[in-house]
Amino acid sequence: MRGGVIVKCFLIILITDVASMVLGNEMCDETPHPSECKTLLIEHKPIRSTTQFLQVSVERTLDGAVKAKSDTYSLGPQFGSKQAWEDCMDLYEQTIHRLNQSVLCPKNVCSRSDMQAWLSTALTNLDTCQEEMSELGVSSHSLESITIDVINTLAINKRTEPNGKAFEISKVTMKIPSRSNKVDVVVAQDGSGDYKTIQEAVKGAGERPKGSLRYVIHVKQGIYEEYVNIGIKSNNIMIIGDGMGKTIITGDKSKGRGFSTFKSATFVAEGDGFVGRDITIRNTAGPENHQAVALRSDSDMSVFYRCSIEGYQDTLYVHSGRQFFRECDIYGTVDFIFGNAAAFLQNCQIFARNPPNGVNTITAQSRFNPNQTTGIVIHNSVVKGAPGVQLGGVKTYLGRPWRSYARTVVMGTHLDTLIEPKGWIDWGNVTALSTLYYGEYQNSGPGSGTENRVDWAGFHVISDINEARQFTLPKFIDAASWLPPTKVPFTINL
């Protein structure tokens, strides 16, 4: 009799294992790289649910990222560029941070969309490193392998139920503790504050984990010639100036002067929940020095309110994460709003300057995987020439695709005469013209006519309001869950 029980138990285990393999194989067949996915099944069996499979996939991907970082560290001498090597080390560190967040997702009450945003960021980081390595002729098998794992995990997570149901939790509103923006420290060049430089004040805030009280730094009027970095461990930092054109942070690093695009930024925000308001951020390298970033943001759930972001080529690097810009002025020439964040610009003024080659491109979005939740949305804004600038003979376009799945949408925005009738321009990437998503919805002004726009398969004159709603604040960057505590005004409707 006991033998019969053992046989039955063995059969149940065998049937369960077979069922788990069937489940896993079915999921793997729907990923972009099925064979690599099935290798995961062999290494981690049995898999009994889609939730478990997702968790195993994220954990394996995290292990792979740690290994890839170690491998890339050892490649240092092959880079021939210490700066590019350091960039990759930084990007791996940020990737590991985002994958750790994803691994802890079931424990820390987050949603599928949170995880998809973090995985999108991880993939963007790896792509940025890959781009720098390719320019130097350096290759890494471990980088290629971990990129495939992240791509597969993005696809697996997309299959899980929305709103966090895969983890049997519900989406909750993220409440960042605050003291009603009570100032913690003051920066003043004349010595009347707690610090004389902004970076000293940021350093004084120390490491601030998620859930920390918002730390408010008031930067008094003045021109601050310094490079500011809000590190990845400095969450919920807020910098308040005395107004655009009054509190000015300025630098002049550029590609033309030997800096990578990634490291050329005057101001870098990496820690999540960053809020900047009433400040000007400049890069004064000028158009002749090529890529010269004023602001780079990798901060998830970051906000910039009443900020002036000024430069020429590559002014605003919305590198990764969910970002909101409200009532900001952005100046530039070539690809001057670029990157692969989920970036939402609302009630902003976008000013084109004189480019060195006679062509302006306002955006260069770099989404390269269809499961990434990234893109640039310009809503209820104004696009025109910068004050005092003559753009006669200059061709200005709304954007060009930096990667195959580039996604940019312009809605309810006034487009002045500077916009070319074609609207958009290609980047020599033929495949992108069918896989990108460029959309325009109910824009106004002399440059808004769509009758002579490009005839690409990926370009859309949006007429369906439900399609347009996919690019509103709540839908596109999950704004309802994190924007209200920042106390910055916003519009949720079209």
Side-chain angles (χ1 to χ4, degrees), residues 19 26 30 37 54 74 86 89 108 122 134 146 162 197 203 217 221 248 289 319 324 334 354 359-360 408 434 473 484:
E26 286 177 350
E30 295 185 17
C37 179
L54 173 60
S74 66
E86 288 176 345
M89 290 296 98
N108 288 349
S134 296
I146 187 61
T197 71
K203 185 178 179 181
I217 301 170
Q221 181 171 338
I248 301 167
N289 280 297
H319 184 260
F324 180 58
V334 180
N354 254 315
V359 178
N360 279 327
T408 302
S434 59
L473 269 175

Side-chain angles (χ1 to χ4, degrees), residues 333 335-337 350 360-364 378 383 396-399 419:
T333 55
D335 307 333
F336 66 97
I337 302 171
I350 298 169
N360 279 327
T361 41
I362 290 166
T363 66
I378 299 173
V383 178
T396 299
Y397 299 90
L398 292 170
I419 301 299

Side-chain angles (χ1 to χ4, degrees), residues 8-161:
K8 287 179 181 177
C9 287
F10 175 77
L11 287 172
I12 291 170
I13 292 170
L14 181 62
I15 291 168
T16 302
D17 283 353
V18 171
S20 71
M21 288 299 293
V22 170
L23 171 67
N25 280 319
E26 286 177 350
M27 290 196 71
C28 282
D29 286 338
E30 295 185 17
T31 65
H33 302 279
S35 60
E36 287 83 355
C37 179
K38 288 172 184 176
T39 299
L40 179 148
L41 282 180
I42 295 170
E43 294 175 356
H44 301 273
K45 61 179 184 182
I47 304 288
R48 309 205 185 274
S49 68
T50 55
T51 302
Q52 183 191 5
F53 189 50
L54 173 60
Q55 190 70 15
V56 167
S57 180
V58 177
E59 289 170 359
R60 182 202 181 194
T61 303
L62 175 59
D63 292 341
V66 173
K67 181 181 184 301
K69 181 185 178 185
S70 176
D71 290 348
T72 304
Y73 181 86
S74 66
L75 291 174
Q78 296 182 33
F79 271 72
S81 166
K82 184 180 179 183
Q83 187 176 132
W85 177 76
E86 288 176 345
D87 286 354
C88 278
M89 290 296 98
D90 288 348
L91 288 158
Y92 271 120
E93 191 63 33
Q94 292 188 41
T95 298
I96 290 166
H97 173 68
R98 295 305 179 190
L99 293 173
N100 264 313
Q101 284 181 302
S102 301
V103 166
L104 296 172
C105 203
K107 185 190 299 184
N108 288 349
V109 189
C110 60
S111 72
R112 180 196 62 80
S113 59
D114 287 328
M115 185 184 282
Q116 203 73 347
W118 298 330
L119 292 170
S120 295
T121 291
L123 192 54
T124 298
N125 292 337
L126 296 172
D127 179 61
T128 304
C129 174
Q130 176 66 62
E131 184 180 38
E132 293 205 23
M133 290 176 69
S134 296
E135 288 179 2
L136 297 168
V138 182
S139 61
S140 167
H141 174 72
S142 58
L143 175 57
E144 293 171 3
S145 179
I146 187 61
T147 299
I148 287 172
D149 285 347
V150 176
I151 287 171
N152 277 344
T153 306
L154 268 167
I156 294 165
N157 187 51
K158 190 172 183 178
R159 286 195 73 232
T160 63
E161 292 182 274

Side-chain angles (χ1 to χ4, degrees), residues 11 16 24 53 80 131 187 203 299-300 304 315 349 358 391 464:
L11 287 172
T16 302
F53 189 50
E131 184 180 38
V187 178
K203 185 178 179 181
S299 172
D300 192 30
F304 297 86
T315 302
Q349 294 191 96
L391 294 177
D464 183 352

Side-chain angles (χ1 to χ4, degrees), residues 152-433:
N152 277 344
T153 306
L154 268 167
I156 294 165
N157 187 51
K158 190 172 183 178
R159 286 195 73 232
T160 63
E161 292 182 274
N163 301 323
K165 291 180 182 177
F167 303 131
E168 298 180 352
I169 60 173
S170 59
K171 182 75 174 180
V172 297
T173 299
M174 185 186 79
K175 295 182 179 179
I176 299 173
S178 67
R179 291 185 283 263
S180 302
N181 296 342
K182 176 186 174 184
V183 172
D184 290 281
V185 293
V186 174
V187 178
Q189 291 174 322
D190 62 7
S192 61
D194 301 286
Y195 299 95
K196 288 187 177 181
T197 71
I198 302 166
Q199 193 60 48
E200 285 177 328
V202 171
K203 185 178 179 181
E207 292 186 4
R208 305 191 66 77
K210 279 204 166 183
S212 299
L213 287 170
R214 194 180 297 287
Y215 189 85
V216 182
I217 301 170
H218 174 212
V219 183
K220 286 190 174 181
Q221 181 171 338
I223 299 175
Y224 295 81
E225 296 181 0
E226 59 173 302
Y227 297 93
V228 180
N229 191 314
I230 312 295
I232 198 166
K233 295 181 180 180
S234 297
N235 293 290
N236 301 332
I237 296 285
M238 182 181 211
I239 292 182
I240 302 176
D242 283 339
M244 287 192 286
K246 293 181 178 179
T247 298
I248 301 167
I249 307 164
T250 183
D252 63 358
K253 291 179 180 178
S254 68
K255 190 90 166 185
R257 292 176 179 166
F259 293 90
S260 67
T261 304
F262 192 73
K263 283 288 173 62
S264 69
T266 301
F267 193 107
V268 175
E270 293 178 347
D272 289 347
F274 175 77
V275 179
R277 56 185 295 171
D278 297 307
I279 55 177
T280 291
I281 302 170
R282 280 182 188 154
N283 190 314
T284 61
E288 67 280 1
N289 280 297
H290 308 292
Q291 295 94 327
V293 177
L295 167 64
R296 169 168 64 85
S297 179
D298 303 88
S299 172
D300 192 30
M301 304 182 184
S302 57
V303 175
F304 297 86
Y305 176 46
R306 295 191 306 224
C307 294
S308 185
I309 305 159
E310 303 172 7
Y312 291 87
Q313 182 171 347
D314 291 4
T315 302
L316 173 56
Y317 196 173
V318 287
H319 184 260
S320 59
R322 289 163 287 188
Q323 306 180 17
F324 180 58
F325 296 80
R326 171 82 180 199
E327 295 172 36
C328 291
D329 293 348
I330 304 158
Y331 294 79
T333 55
V334 180
D335 307 333
F336 66 97
I337 302 171
F338 75 110
N340 198 25
F344 201 103
L345 286 67
Q346 188 175 80
N347 290 46
C348 292
Q349 294 191 96
I350 298 169
F351 294 112
R353 288 174 151 172
N354 254 315
N357 62 353
V359 178
N360 279 327
T361 41
I362 290 166
T363 66
Q365 210 282 325
S366 57
R367 179 172 175 252
F368 70 101
N369 182 278
N371 291 323
Q372 287 184 298
T373 57
T374 55
I376 296 170
V377 175
I378 299 173
H379 178 228
N380 198 29
S381 296
V382 175
V383 178
K384 60 184 178 180
V389 172
Q390 301 299 318
L391 294 177
V394 173
K395 294 181 180 295
T396 299
Y397 299 90
L398 292 170
R400 59 176 177 163
W402 186 6
R403 289 290 189 272
S404 294
Y405 291 90
R407 181 161 61 175
T408 302
V409 177
V410 183
M411 307 190 300
T413 290
H414 180 90
L415 306 178
D416 212 342
T417 53
L418 76 166
I419 301 299
E420 285 292 300
K422 282 176 59 179
W424 310 81
I425 188 172
D426 67 63
W427 204 327
N429 187 343
V430 176
T431 59
L433 305 185

